[in-house]
Amino acid sequence: RSVSAFLLNRSADLAMEQIYTAQEVAEILKLGLVAVRRAIKKGDIEAIKISNEWRVRESALEAYLNKHTYKPGLDSDPEEEA
């Protein structure tokens, strides 16, 4: 498969998916912008840097939320750790 075919298919995949700015992610998660940028730099939220601005694909945001979702019976109770 050629590189141009790969890029064409990849851009079609991305065109179907919502892309958020770091500020929009902060608003969605009800976090501060600094906390979101820190999570991106730490690798907790997968992001793309475009023109000196971070962008987060909807699937990356969903992956972050799934990774940080409390699952009773599978995770320790957060109230017990406090």
Side-chain angles (χ1 to χ4, degrees):
R1 190 163 118 181
S2 73
V3 171
S4 59
F6 172 80
L7 291 174
L8 183 62
N9 286 339
R10 182 72 177 137
S11 65
D13 290 342
L14 289 175
M16 304 287 286
E17 187 171 13
Q18 179 72 36
I19 296 179
Y20 300 104
T21 64
Q23 180 63 48
E24 290 170 327
V25 171
E27 291 168 9
I28 290 167
L29 297 177
K30 301 200 182 336
L31 292 173
L33 183 56
V34 172
V36 170
R37 286 183 178 151
R38 190 177 304 126
I40 288 170
K41 290 202 177 192
K42 221 171 108 178
D44 290 341
I45 299 175
E46 184 181 304
I48 306 160
K49 198 162 196 176
I50 301 173
S51 297
N52 210 30
E53 291 287 328
W54 288 108
R55 300 287 188 267
V56 178
R57 289 178 289 121
E58 185 174 28
S59 61
L61 183 54
E62 288 172 358
Y64 175 79
L65 290 172
N66 287 335
K67 182 180 174 185
H68 291 85
T69 299
Y70 172 68
K71 298 166 191 86
L74 299 177
D75 297 330
S76 61
D77 187 346
E79 296 298 319
E80 290 177 2
E81 294 176 8

PDB file of all heavy atoms in Angstrom, residues 3-4 9 18 20 30-31 36-38 42 49-50 65 74:
ATOM      1  N   VAL A   3       2.152   5.178   0.436  1.00  0.00           N
ATOM      2  CA  VAL A   3       2.057   6.169   1.507  1.00  0.00           C
ATOM      3  C   VAL A   3       0.878   7.110   1.245  1.00  0.00           C
ATOM      4  O   VAL A   3       0.120   7.436   2.158  1.00  0.00           O
ATOM      5  CB  VAL A   3       3.379   6.959   1.630  1.00  0.00           C
ATOM      6  CG1 VAL A   3       3.220   8.123   2.588  1.00  0.00           C
ATOM      7  CG2 VAL A   3       4.507   6.050   2.068  1.00  0.00           C
ATOM      8  N   SER A   4       0.707   7.527  -0.001  1.00  0.00           N
ATOM      9  CA  SER A   4      -0.394   8.453  -0.311  1.00  0.00           C
ATOM     10  C   SER A   4      -1.757   7.794  -0.064  1.00  0.00           C
ATOM     11  O   SER A   4      -2.675   8.443   0.423  1.00  0.00           O
ATOM     12  CB  SER A   4      -0.298   8.971  -1.743  1.00  0.00           C
ATOM     13  OG  SER A   4      -0.339   7.902  -2.658  1.00  0.00           O
ATOM     14  N   ASN A   9      -6.571   7.462   3.341  1.00  0.00           N
ATOM     15  CA  ASN A   9      -7.474   6.716   4.225  1.00  0.00           C
ATOM     16  C   ASN A   9      -7.449   7.286   5.632  1.00  0.00           C
ATOM     17  O   ASN A   9      -8.478   7.397   6.285  1.00  0.00           O
ATOM     18  CB  ASN A   9      -7.094   5.228   4.263  1.00  0.00           C
ATOM     19  CG  ASN A   9      -7.474   4.510   2.998  1.00  0.00           C
ATOM     20  OD1 ASN A   9      -8.339   4.967   2.246  1.00  0.00           O
ATOM     21  ND2 ASN A   9      -6.817   3.401   2.733  1.00  0.00           N
ATOM     22  N   GLN A  18     -14.686  13.997  15.522  1.00  0.00           N
ATOM     23  CA  GLN A  18     -14.617  15.330  16.128  1.00  0.00           C
ATOM     24  C   GLN A  18     -13.218  15.548  16.700  1.00  0.00           C
ATOM     25  O   GLN A  18     -12.630  14.643  17.286  1.00  0.00           O
ATOM     26  CB  GLN A  18     -15.664  15.442  17.240  1.00  0.00           C
ATOM     27  CG  GLN A  18     -15.682  16.748  17.964  1.00  0.00           C
ATOM     28  CD  GLN A  18     -16.247  17.878  17.135  1.00  0.00           C
ATOM     29  OE1 GLN A  18     -17.162  17.668  16.368  1.00  0.00           O
ATOM     30  NE2 GLN A  18     -15.695  19.048  17.290  1.00  0.00           N
ATOM     31  N   TYR A  20     -11.117  18.249  19.241  1.00  0.00           N
ATOM     32  CA  TYR A  20     -11.320  19.304  20.236  1.00  0.00           C
ATOM     33  C   TYR A  20     -10.015  20.038  20.522  1.00  0.00           C
ATOM     34  O   TYR A  20      -8.938  19.447  20.479  1.00  0.00           O
ATOM     35  CB  TYR A  20     -11.820  18.701  21.551  1.00  0.00           C
ATOM     36  CG  TYR A  20     -13.114  17.966  21.440  1.00  0.00           C
ATOM     37  CD1 TYR A  20     -13.157  16.575  21.433  1.00  0.00           C
ATOM     38  CD2 TYR A  20     -14.323  18.656  21.349  1.00  0.00           C
ATOM     39  CE1 TYR A  20     -14.362  15.893  21.334  1.00  0.00           C
ATOM     40  CE2 TYR A  20     -15.530  17.983  21.255  1.00  0.00           C
ATOM     41  CZ  TYR A  20     -15.540  16.603  21.249  1.00  0.00           C
ATOM     42  OH  TYR A  20     -16.729  15.937  21.142  1.00  0.00           O
ATOM     43  N   LYS A  30     -14.590  19.586  32.739  1.00  0.00           N
ATOM     44  CA  LYS A  30     -14.743  20.495  33.873  1.00  0.00           C
ATOM     45  C   LYS A  30     -13.451  20.548  34.692  1.00  0.00           C
ATOM     46  O   LYS A  30     -13.436  20.434  35.913  1.00  0.00           O
ATOM     47  CB  LYS A  30     -15.943  20.114  34.729  1.00  0.00           C
ATOM     48  CG  LYS A  30     -17.239  20.137  33.923  1.00  0.00           C
ATOM     49  CD  LYS A  30     -18.441  20.233  34.785  1.00  0.00           C
ATOM     50  CE  LYS A  30     -19.752  20.214  34.060  1.00  0.00           C
ATOM     51  NZ  LYS A  30     -19.842  20.616  32.705  1.00  0.00           N
ATOM     52  N   LEU A  31     -12.350  20.720  33.952  1.00  0.00           N
ATOM     53  CA  LEU A  31     -11.022  20.867  34.533  1.00  0.00           C
ATOM     54  C   LEU A  31     -10.434  22.181  34.061  1.00  0.00           C
ATOM     55  O   LEU A  31     -10.914  22.770  33.096  1.00  0.00           O
ATOM     56  CB  LEU A  31     -10.098  19.734  34.060  1.00  0.00           C
ATOM     57  CG  LEU A  31     -10.400  18.327  34.541  1.00  0.00           C
ATOM     58  CD1 LEU A  31      -9.494  17.335  33.836  1.00  0.00           C
ATOM     59  CD2 LEU A  31     -10.227  18.228  36.047  1.00  0.00           C
ATOM     60  N   VAL A  36      -5.440  19.988  31.899  1.00  0.00           N
ATOM     61  CA  VAL A  36      -5.558  19.265  30.632  1.00  0.00           C
ATOM     62  C   VAL A  36      -4.209  19.230  29.921  1.00  0.00           C
ATOM     63  O   VAL A  36      -3.774  18.175  29.447  1.00  0.00           O
ATOM     64  CB  VAL A  36      -6.649  19.884  29.731  1.00  0.00           C
ATOM     65  CG1 VAL A  36      -6.604  19.298  28.328  1.00  0.00           C
ATOM     66  CG2 VAL A  36      -8.020  19.681  30.347  1.00  0.00           C
ATOM     67  N   ARG A  37      -3.540  20.369  29.864  1.00  0.00           N
ATOM     68  CA  ARG A  37      -2.219  20.409  29.216  1.00  0.00           C
ATOM     69  C   ARG A  37      -1.233  19.490  29.930  1.00  0.00           C
ATOM     70  O   ARG A  37      -0.405  18.830  29.301  1.00  0.00           O
ATOM     71  CB  ARG A  37      -1.687  21.832  29.183  1.00  0.00           C
ATOM     72  CG  ARG A  37      -2.401  22.688  28.160  1.00  0.00           C
ATOM     73  CD  ARG A  37      -1.794  24.069  28.103  1.00  0.00           C
ATOM     74  NE  ARG A  37      -2.450  24.879  27.084  1.00  0.00           N
ATOM     75  CZ  ARG A  37      -2.569  26.178  27.138  1.00  0.00           C
ATOM     76  NH1 ARG A  37      -2.064  26.850  28.158  1.00  0.00           N
ATOM     77  NH2 ARG A  37      -3.173  26.839  26.176  1.00  0.00           N
ATOM     78  N   ARG A  38      -1.307  19.443  31.249  1.00  0.00           N
ATOM     79  CA  ARG A  38      -0.436  18.560  32.027  1.00  0.00           C
ATOM     80  C   ARG A  38      -0.719  17.096  31.683  1.00  0.00           C
ATOM     81  O   ARG A  38       0.211  16.302  31.492  1.00  0.00           O
ATOM     82  CB  ARG A  38      -0.642  18.808  33.519  1.00  0.00           C
ATOM     83  CG  ARG A  38       0.383  18.128  34.400  1.00  0.00           C
ATOM     84  CD  ARG A  38       0.207  18.452  35.881  1.00  0.00           C
ATOM     85  NE  ARG A  38       0.241  19.891  36.133  1.00  0.00           N
ATOM     86  CZ  ARG A  38      -0.713  20.566  36.784  1.00  0.00           C
ATOM     87  NH1 ARG A  38      -1.779  19.944  37.261  1.00  0.00           N
ATOM     88  NH2 ARG A  38      -0.601  21.854  36.979  1.00  0.00           N
ATOM     89  N   LYS A  42       1.910  14.561  29.974  1.00  0.00           N
ATOM     90  CA  LYS A  42       2.208  13.328  30.698  1.00  0.00           C
ATOM     91  C   LYS A  42       1.902  12.087  29.864  1.00  0.00           C
ATOM     92  O   LYS A  42       2.376  11.005  30.156  1.00  0.00           O
ATOM     93  CB  LYS A  42       1.357  13.315  31.973  1.00  0.00           C
ATOM     94  CG  LYS A  42       2.056  12.822  33.201  1.00  0.00           C
ATOM     95  CD  LYS A  42       1.207  13.057  34.410  1.00  0.00           C
ATOM     96  CE  LYS A  42       0.662  11.737  34.897  1.00  0.00           C
ATOM     97  NZ  LYS A  42      -0.138  11.829  36.092  1.00  0.00           N
ATOM     98  N   LYS A  49      -0.253  18.093  18.124  1.00  0.00           N
ATOM     99  CA  LYS A  49       0.087  19.515  18.190  1.00  0.00           C
ATOM    100  C   LYS A  49       0.055  20.081  16.771  1.00  0.00           C
ATOM    101  O   LYS A  49       0.778  19.636  15.891  1.00  0.00           O
ATOM    102  CB  LYS A  49       1.454  19.735  18.821  1.00  0.00           C
ATOM    103  CG  LYS A  49       1.649  21.143  19.283  1.00  0.00           C
ATOM    104  CD  LYS A  49       2.779  21.243  20.268  1.00  0.00           C
ATOM    105  CE  LYS A  49       2.711  22.558  20.995  1.00  0.00           C
ATOM    106  NZ  LYS A  49       3.710  22.679  22.019  1.00  0.00           N
ATOM    107  N   ILE A  50      -0.816  21.060  16.570  1.00  0.00           N
ATOM    108  CA  ILE A  50      -0.966  21.718  15.276  1.00  0.00           C
ATOM    109  C   ILE A  50      -0.810  23.213  15.507  1.00  0.00           C
ATOM    110  O   ILE A  50      -1.546  23.793  16.304  1.00  0.00           O
ATOM    111  CB  ILE A  50      -2.344  21.419  14.646  1.00  0.00           C
ATOM    112  CG1 ILE A  50      -2.524  19.915  14.464  1.00  0.00           C
ATOM    113  CG2 ILE A  50      -2.501  22.159  13.326  1.00  0.00           C
ATOM    114  CD1 ILE A  50      -3.907  19.517  14.015  1.00  0.00           C
ATOM    115  N   LEU A  65     -11.345   8.820  29.216  1.00  0.00           N
ATOM    116  CA  LEU A  65     -12.474   8.648  30.139  1.00  0.00           C
ATOM    117  C   LEU A  65     -12.659   7.182  30.520  1.00  0.00           C
ATOM    118  O   LEU A  65     -12.909   6.867  31.684  1.00  0.00           O
ATOM    119  CB  LEU A  65     -13.755   9.207  29.521  1.00  0.00           C
ATOM    120  CG  LEU A  65     -13.793  10.729  29.404  1.00  0.00           C
ATOM    121  CD1 LEU A  65     -15.013  11.164  28.589  1.00  0.00           C
ATOM    122  CD2 LEU A  65     -13.808  11.374  30.766  1.00  0.00           C
ATOM    123  N   LEU A  74     -14.042  -4.090  40.368  1.00  0.00           N
ATOM    124  CA  LEU A  74     -12.763  -4.257  39.667  1.00  0.00           C
ATOM    125  C   LEU A  74     -11.702  -3.321  40.225  1.00  0.00           C
ATOM    126  O   LEU A  74     -10.519  -3.640  40.229  1.00  0.00           O
ATOM    127  CB  LEU A  74     -12.934  -3.987  38.160  1.00  0.00           C
ATOM    128  CG  LEU A  74     -13.902  -4.896  37.425  1.00  0.00           C
ATOM    129  CD1 LEU A  74     -14.023  -4.463  35.970  1.00  0.00           C
ATOM    130  CD2 LEU A  74     -13.454  -6.350  37.509  1.00  0.00           C
TER     131      LEU A  74
END
